[in-house]
C-alpha cells in the first residue's frame, strides 16, 4: 500500500465528518450470508446460468414456466438466510443517525430490510414481490391470481411475474431519482460489494464523485469502480462495514 492510500481510519474520519452519506450495495454485501453473487467465476449465478434465458422479458414470454421456476428456487433458497454483520451495521447506523445515510441497493434479497433498514432504495426491485406481466385490466387482482407456474388471471390470461428488474427494463423511476439525488448530495459514498458493471447503478459512484463526494470502494476484489474511488478498502463487507460505521 502506498503511503498516501487512505486507510480505514482515514475513511472512518471522512464518514464521521460527513453530514450526508450514500451507500451503494451489490451482491457482495450478502455473500457472507451465503447468497451467491452474479459474476463470481465459480459460484456466480451468471457463471452457471445464461441471463438472456432467465432475466429478460423475452425469456419469460418464451418460457414462463422455466423462468418462474428459477425465481421460485431463488426465493426458496433465501428462506432462512440471515442478514450478516454488514447489513446489521448499516441498519444500526441509520437508527443512530436518522436522516444522515441513504442506502441504495441493487440487491433483491430483502436482507437490508431484514436487518431493519428503512427506506432502502431498491434499484432492481424485490424478489419477493409479484406483479403483472402486462398492464393489468380490471379483472387482474394479484391476490386472487389462479395458482399456476406462474400464477395467472383466469379472466384474461395475464401472467404474474417476479417484481425484479430484468435486463433491458427501466429501473423504478422513484428509486433511481432518489438515488441520483442522494449521490449528488452526499459527501461520502460507500460502494460495497458490487462489481459496478451494471448501469445505471454503477454510474451513481461517478455521479457522486463529479458532485464532489469522496468515493470509497469496499470489496475484496478489484472492480470497475476502483478508478472512481478516492479509497479502496480491500476486504469483506461483514468485517469492514461494521468497522467503518461503528460510531
Ligand atoms: P456482481 O456479482 O457483479 O459483483 C459482486 C461483487 O461482490 C464482486 O465485485 C465481488 O468481488 C464482491 N464480493 C464478493 N464477496 C464479497 C464480500 N464478502 N464483501 C464485499 N464484496 C464482496 O454483483 P452486483 O455488482 O450486485 O441485476 O451485480 C449487479 C447486478 O447485476 C445485479 O443487481 C443483478 C445482476 O445482473 C439484475 O438482476 C437486474
Amino acid at each position: 500500500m502506498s503511503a498516501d492510500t487512505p486507510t480505514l481510519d482515514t475513511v472512518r474520519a471522512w464518514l464521521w465528518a460527513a453530514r450526508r452519506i450514500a451507500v451503494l450495495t451489490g451482491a457482495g454485501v450478502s455473500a457472507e450470508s451465503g447468497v451467491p453473487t452474479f459474476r463470481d467465476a465459480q459460484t456466480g449465478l451468471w457463471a452457471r446460468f445464461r441471463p438472456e434465458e432467465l432475466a429478460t422479458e423475452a425469456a419469460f414470454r418464451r418460457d414462463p414456466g422455466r423462468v418462474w421456476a428459477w425465481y421460485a428456487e431463488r426465493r426458496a433458497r433465501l428462506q432462512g438466510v440471515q442478514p450478516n454483520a454488514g447489513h446489521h451495521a448499516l441498519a444500526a447506523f441509520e437508527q443512530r443517525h436518522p436522516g444522515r445515510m441513504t442506502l441504495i441497493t441493487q440487491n433483491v434479497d430483502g436482507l437490508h430490510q431484514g436487518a431493519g433498514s428503512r427506506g432502502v432504495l431498491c434499484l432492481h426491485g424485490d424478489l419477493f414481490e409479484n406483479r403483472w406481466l402486462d398492464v393489468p385490466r380490471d379483472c387482474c387482482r394479484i391476490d386472487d391470481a389462479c395458482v399456476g407456474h406462474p400464477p395467472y388471471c383466469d379472466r384474461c390470461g395475464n401472467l404474474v411475474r417476479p417484481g425484479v428488474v430484468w435486463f433491458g427494463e427501466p429501473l423504478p423511476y422513484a428509486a433511481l431519482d432518489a438515488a441520483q439525488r442522494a449521490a449528488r448530495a452526499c459527501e461520502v459514498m460507500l460502494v460495497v460489494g458490487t462489481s459496478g458493471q451494471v448501469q445505471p447503478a454503477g454510474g451513481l459512484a461517478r455521479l457522486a464523485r463529479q458532485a464532489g463526494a469522496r468515493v470509497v470502494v469496499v470489496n475484496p476484489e478489484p472492480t470497475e469502480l476502483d478508478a472512481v474511488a478516492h479509497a479502496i478498502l480491500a476486504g469483506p463487507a461483514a468485517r469492514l462495514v461494521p468497522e467503518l460505521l461503528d460510531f
Side-chain angles (χ1 to χ4, degrees):
M1 186 182 286
S2 72
D4 58 357
T5 301
T7 62
L8 187 133
D9 283 342
T10 305
V11 173
R12 204 166 171 279
W14 293 347
L15 289 164
W16 197 81
R19 281 160 302 160
R20 290 185 188 204
I21 298 166
V23 182
L24 171 65
T25 67
V29 80
S30 297
E32 288 154 278
S33 294
V35 182
T37 64
F38 292 92
R39 293 177 181 78
D40 182 88
Q42 270 80 46
T43 59
L45 290 180
W46 298 153
R48 295 182 288 137
F49 303 99
R50 290 162 60 86
E52 59 274 27
E53 288 177 8
L54 294 164
T56 65
E57 184 185 324
F60 188 78
R61 288 190 186 279
R62 209 163 41 234
D63 194 343
R66 179 175 180 218
V67 174
W68 182 260
W70 190 69
Y71 282 94
E73 191 186 324
R74 281 181 63 196
R75 287 175 177 174
R77 284 180 188 276
L78 278 168
Q79 299 297 335
V81 169
Q82 299 299 326
N84 64 50
H87 301 105
H88 285 299
L90 288 161
F93 186 86
E94 179 192 281
Q95 276 156 27
R96 286 197 304 277
H97 303 273
R100 192 163 166 193
M101 185 185 79
T102 303
L103 179 54
I104 307 159
T105 191
Q106 299 165 84
N107 297 346
V108 296
D109 56 28
L111 290 177
H112 284 306
Q113 297 88 329
S117 287
R118 303 270 166 264
V120 186
L121 300 176
C122 295
L123 296 181
H124 292 166
D126 182 337
L127 186 60
F128 294 97
E129 276 182 7
N130 287 326
R131 60 188 174 89
W132 293 107
L133 177 61
D134 291 315
V135 177
R137 302 168 187 87
D138 288 345
C139 54
C140 301
R141 292 174 203 278
I142 206 106
D143 294 335
D144 297 335
C146 280
V147 176
H149 304 280
Y152 58 96
C153 173
D154 64 349
R155 295 282 190 82
C156 71
N158 203 354
L159 298 179
V160 172
R161 55 161 284 180
V164 299
V165 176
W166 281 328
F167 286 101
E169 293 186 321
L171 272 55
Y173 175 78
L176 180 60
D177 183 53
Q180 289 171 334
R181 278 188 279 116
R184 284 195 204 94
C186 69
E187 288 143 65
V188 180
M189 175 178 273
L190 289 182
V191 180
V192 184
T194 177
S195 62
Q197 289 187 35
V198 173
Q199 302 304 329
L204 292 169
R206 285 187 190 84
L207 193 59
R209 174 146 191 160
Q210 283 160 8
R214 287 186 165 117
V215 175
V216 179
V217 165
V218 177
N219 200 307
E221 305 290 336
T223 77
E224 298 271 313
L225 298 175
D226 291 0
V228 183
H230 296 85
I232 299 168
L233 300 177
R239 174 169 63 80
L240 291 176
V241 173
E243 285 180 27
L244 287 169
L245 296 178
D246 184 21
F247 58 90

